[in-house]
């Protein structure tokens, strides 16, 4: 009979059969070298130096002498543990090796083993696991989201009062009577032609840049009118973008109650993998359709740089059929870049002598550009007062000499009041002028490859 069989027939020797099982596995937790050699038939020299031994961190308490049934099942339990069985008969045995115990000898060599120094008797301290840092989604902002800011103070909204209609009651009544007595065939044909121009399909996103020689002449108003008109007639998405951070009024004119993300905020976020639904989450939805991207949150801040403008416009062209960019006044850097890279251009000129003269200089500059920028430029001659001293026909003729199309936008009481623009309150003459302006711009933008 071998020594192993003698051990199995004496499971209660020492008062703990678990200690015998640990001896079978090759390590005697808390045993002396002489006990190890006597229990498994190997002397102390049989253990290889430098290898960690299995050690019972929390020794099991001494058990009373085993009864006959337990003595009969103890050898079977020891045999099952040696074979690595999952279901052990008899009493449940806790795992002798805690999760923080050192690795088995067949694992990677520790520094102590590589240097030949014997391993420490105690367990190695548990090393905290290094948390895995997930890669940042390029579609998410790197900094916290900015706070939403109202476009107008609530007290100013009350000061605006009730918006006026562009036409007086007398003018609206006279136009209704004329419709009853005149033929509408000519008007229907003209409306059909304009709608066909506005609904031309595009292969890539078209950018329309709107600028002026100075501020306060109606540049943002014309941009808002173009954005709303194109969105009304087209079935694809239209974006109105503000590229003027000098406290521009485009968000107010578009009817936005609050703004959050700006062009500068969106420039480092845009990524080619983003979908249209991802992009529109950073934009302001317009009440009657379309989208708005402001340049600021109603506070004086740093101007929009040329790199951010180019990145934003080039990236958003993938999602929007037409982008109307309300640029800063000339000769700003962003305005010159926008006029040079846009598919169509609108120069807003006031109906004043100095305004028309300065606009003519801008047209002469566009004519000197390397590509034919003047052929895709339309001038909007805006009247901001009902009593205009300059003759409109003479001013338009002076601008047409440069080789551009001039569209006169008459004075409108609704637009002169400021605040959000309601297209149903525009005068009839203003509606027709904006339709013609949008058709002229769209026709030139589509022809550019």
């Amino acid at each position: 009979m071998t020594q192993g069989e003698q051990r199995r027939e004496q499971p209660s020797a020492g008062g703990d059969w678990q200690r015998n099982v640990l001896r079978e596995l090759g390590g005697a937790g808390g045993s002396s070298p002489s006990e190890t050699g006597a229990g498994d038939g190997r002397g102390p020299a049989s253990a290889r130096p430098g290898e960690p031994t299995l050690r019972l961190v929390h020794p099991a308490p001494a058990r009373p002498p085993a009864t006959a049934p337990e003595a009969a099942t103890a050898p079977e339990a020891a045999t099952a543990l040696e074979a690595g069985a999952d279901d052990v008969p008899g009493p449940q045995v806790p795992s002798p090796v805690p999760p923080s115990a050192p690795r088995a000898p067949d694992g990677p060599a520790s520094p102590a083993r590589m240097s030949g120094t014997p391993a420490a008797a105690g367990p190695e301290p548990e090393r905290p696991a290094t948390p895995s840092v997930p890669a940042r989604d390029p579609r998410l902002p790197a900094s916290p989201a900015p706070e939403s800011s109202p476009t107008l103070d609530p007290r100013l909204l009350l000061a605006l009062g009730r918006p006026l209609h562009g036409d007086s009651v007398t003018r609206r009544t006279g136009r209704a009577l004329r419709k009853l007595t005149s033929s509408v065939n000519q008007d229907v044909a003209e409306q059909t032609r304009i709608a066909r121009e506005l609904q031309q399909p595009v292969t890539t996103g078209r950018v329309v840049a709107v600028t002026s020689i100075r501020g306060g002449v109606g540049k943002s108003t014309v941009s808002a009118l173009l954005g709303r008109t194109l969105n009304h007639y087209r079935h694809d998405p239209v974006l109105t973008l503000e590229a003027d951070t000098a406290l521009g009024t485009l968000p107010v004119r578009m009817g936005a109650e609050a703004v959050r993300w700006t062009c500068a905020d969106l420039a480092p976020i845009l990524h080619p993998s983003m979908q249209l639904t991802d992009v529109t989450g950073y934009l302001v939805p317009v009440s009657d359709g379309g989208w708005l991207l402001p340049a600021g949150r109603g506070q004086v801040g740093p101007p929009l740089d040329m790199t951010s403008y180019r990145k934003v416009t080039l990236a958003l062209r993938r999602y929007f059929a037409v982008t109307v960019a309300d640029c800063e006044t000339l000769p700003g850097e962003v305005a010159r870049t926008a006029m040079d890279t846009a598919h169509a251009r609108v120069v807003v000129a006031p109906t004043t002598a100095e305004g028309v003269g300065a606009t003519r200089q801008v047209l002469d500059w566009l004519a000197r550009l390397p590509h034919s920028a003047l052929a895709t430029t339309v001038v909007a001659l805006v009247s901001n007062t009902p009593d205009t001293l300059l003759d409109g026909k003479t001013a338009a003729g002076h601008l047409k000499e440069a080789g551009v199309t001039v569209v006169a936008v008459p004075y409108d009481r609704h637009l002169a009041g400021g605040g959000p623009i309601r297209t149903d309150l525009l005068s009839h003459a203003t509606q027709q002028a904006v339709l013609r302006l949008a058709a002229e711009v769209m026709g030139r933008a589509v022809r550019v490859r």
Side-chain angles (χ1 to χ4, degrees), residues 165-166 224-229 232 253 287-288 412 414-415 420-428 430-431 434:
H165 196 285
L225 291 173
L226 285 176
R228 288 175 174 269
T229 302
H232 176 76
R253 300 302 253 171
S287 58
D288 55 352
D412 191 289
H414 175 64
L415 297 178
I421 296 177
R422 291 179 50 182
T423 54
D424 58 326
L425 295 181
L426 294 175
S427 67
H428 178 73
T430 302
Q431 294 179 6
V434 172

Side-chain angles (χ1 to χ4, degrees), residues 320-337:
F320 297 94
V322 183
T323 300
V324 179
D326 180 18
C327 303
E328 62 181 354
T329 58
L330 290 170
E333 182 182 22
V334 175
R336 288 185 283 110
T337 302

Side-chain angles (χ1 to χ4, degrees), residues 303-377:
L304 181 67
D305 59 285
M306 181 183 62
T307 304
S308 299
Y309 171 80
R310 291 180 64 91
K311 183 177 181 180
V312 169
T313 52
L314 289 175
L316 294 182
R317 282 175 53 186
R318 300 176 53 246
Y319 310 98
F320 297 94
V322 183
T323 300
V324 179
D326 180 18
C327 303
E328 62 181 354
T329 58
L330 290 170
E333 182 182 22
V334 175
R336 288 185 283 110
T337 302
M339 296 291 286
D340 189 35
T341 58
H343 299 92
R345 303 152 186 84
V346 177
V347 180
V348 180
T351 312
T352 59
E354 62 272 21
V356 173
T359 303
R360 176 61 186 272
Q361 296 180 9
V362 172
L363 298 178
D364 295 337
W365 167 72
L366 290 175
R368 293 191 298 268
L369 291 179
H371 53 278
S372 180
L374 201 60
T376 56
T377 301

Side-chain angles (χ1 to χ4, degrees), residues 20 23 31 66 85 108 186 194 209 237 243 256 265 283 292 301 317 334 350 352 371 395 397-398 419 442:
N20 298 333
R23 293 193 188 98
S31 301
Q186 185 177 358
I194 292 177
D265 298 331
L283 307 179
L292 167 69
R317 282 175 53 186
V334 175
T352 59
H371 53 278
H398 181 70
M442 200 64 202

